[in-house]
């Protein structure tokens, strides 16, 4: 953490060297003589990142960040052309906290994925399932969160925190995906045959969460 007055920088870097060895056996009860293939793979990853905050006042803070991410494939994928998944994420926003009973946060984000890894489907149309790289995915969105505790200003004998958070996410394929998932072989995947601009499954466009609780002494109860 490096500070220049009200500006704070948090740089970091992660370096990984991964060696895979995948041993394939011919029977369920494995012995040394049952080994049919041994496949190896080496992956080197470099993931830097930088976060920054600027404290405008005791209550208001601006923030921004850029981070690279890497998700390596599993050892069972070492025998094909599967590549590690990478991402580059940006975020920027602000936080306000009155230091008593109210805080609010608004953050925009954009993350670009490359070589997105999609696990094989279990069962389907009879094809041979295979984990696959499907290419590029772009996600853009905004997050809003607010917390409030009315018990502070009203002098109640117990705490009553409330929190509300909402997220909008637009996640789209950045390229067409072939019927084989861009990795060869027959792939039973919900992404197979996808087209550039298609929305990603299982990533909701809107999310909302609301919660409250009661805190008294050593006891607390929350509902979300």
């Amino acid at each position: 953490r490096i500070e220049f007055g009200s500006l704070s920088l948090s740089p970091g870097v992660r370096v990984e060297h991964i060696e895979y060895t995948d041993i394939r056996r011919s029977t369920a009860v494995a012995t040394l003589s049952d080994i049919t293939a041994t496949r190896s793979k080496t992956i080197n990853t470099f993931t830097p990142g930088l976060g920054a905050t600027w404290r405008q006042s005791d209550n208001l803070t601006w923030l921004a960040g850029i981070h690279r991410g890497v998700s390596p494939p599993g050892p069972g994928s070492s025998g094909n052309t599967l590549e590690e998944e990478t991402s580059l994420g940006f975020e920027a926003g602000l936080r306000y906290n009155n230091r008593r009973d109210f805080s609010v946060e608004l953050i925009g984000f954009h993350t670009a994925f490359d070589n997105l890894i999609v696990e094989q489907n279990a069962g389907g149309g009879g094809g041979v399932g295979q984990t696959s790289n499907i290419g590029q995915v772009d996600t853009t969105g905004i997050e809003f969160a607010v917390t409030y505790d009315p018990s502070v200003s009203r002098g109640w004998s117990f705490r009553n925190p409330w929190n509300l958070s909402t997220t909008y996410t637009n996640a789209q394929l950045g390229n067409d995906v072939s019927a084989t998932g861009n990795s060869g072989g027959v792939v039973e995947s919900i992404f197979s045959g996808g087209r550039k601009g298609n929305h990603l499954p299982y990533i909701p466009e809107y999310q909302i969460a609301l919660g409250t609780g009661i805190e008294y002494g050593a006891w607390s109860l929350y509902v979300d």
Side-chain angles (χ1 to χ4, degrees):
R1 184 182 179 93
I2 306 169
E3 295 186 353
F4 303 93
S6 298
L7 176 65
S8 177
L9 302 177
S10 298
V13 62
R14 179 188 181 104
V15 178
E16 289 183 279
H17 174 77
I18 305 170
E19 295 182 1
Y20 290 138
T21 301
D22 182 36
I23 300 175
R24 297 298 172 111
R25 303 181 186 276
S26 60
T27 62
V29 181
T31 66
L32 290 178
S33 61
D34 294 323
I35 296 176
T36 59
T38 300
R39 302 179 298 188
S40 300
K41 186 174 184 178
T42 299
I43 297 176
N44 295 298
T45 68
F46 175 72
T47 52
L50 175 65
T53 61
W54 179 59
R55 190 175 64 255
Q56 180 175 338
S57 66
D58 291 339
N59 305 115
L60 182 61
T61 300
W62 297 83
L63 61 94
I66 176 172
H67 295 86
R68 186 174 189 266
V70 175
S71 179
S77 305
S78 61
N80 57 32
T81 59
L82 204 63
E83 299 292 334
E84 60 268 28
E85 173 187 311
T86 61
S87 65
L88 186 62
F90 304 85
E91 64 176 358
L94 58 87
R95 294 189 180 106
Y96 174 82
N97 191 327
N98 69 356
R99 307 295 178 181
R100 295 182 65 251
D101 58 359
F102 177 79
S103 67
V104 64
E105 179 178 287
L106 182 66
I107 298 177
F109 62 89
H110 174 77
T111 305
F113 294 89
D114 197 19
N115 291 327
L116 186 73
I117 296 176
V118 176
E119 296 294 329
Q120 66 187 38
N121 283 12
V128 179
Q130 176 180 302
T131 300
S132 172
N133 290 120
I134 62 126
Q136 298 177 348
V137 168
D138 293 309
T139 65
T140 303
I142 189 168
E143 299 176 334
F144 172 78
V146 59
T147 61
Y148 175 62
D149 189 341
S151 66
V152 176
S153 59
R154 289 167 171 77
W156 296 345
S157 60
F158 59 90
R159 300 291 301 273
N160 179 217
W162 288 77
N163 61 81
L164 170 69
S165 62
T166 61
T167 303
Y168 165 77
T169 305
N170 181 22
Q172 298 183 359
L173 287 173
N175 55 254
D176 294 344
V177 181
S178 71
T180 59
N182 296 353
S183 289
V186 179
V187 180
E188 297 177 356
S189 169
I190 54 177
F191 289 86
S192 298
R195 293 293 174 258
K196 181 178 180 179
N198 286 167
H199 288 276
L200 262 67
Y202 301 118
I203 298 182
E205 190 173 9
Y206 297 98
Q207 298 179 75
I208 184 169
L210 175 66
T212 186
I214 295 177
E215 302 172 353
Y216 184 78
W219 296 90
S220 60
L221 176 66
Y222 301 96
V223 177
D224 293 288

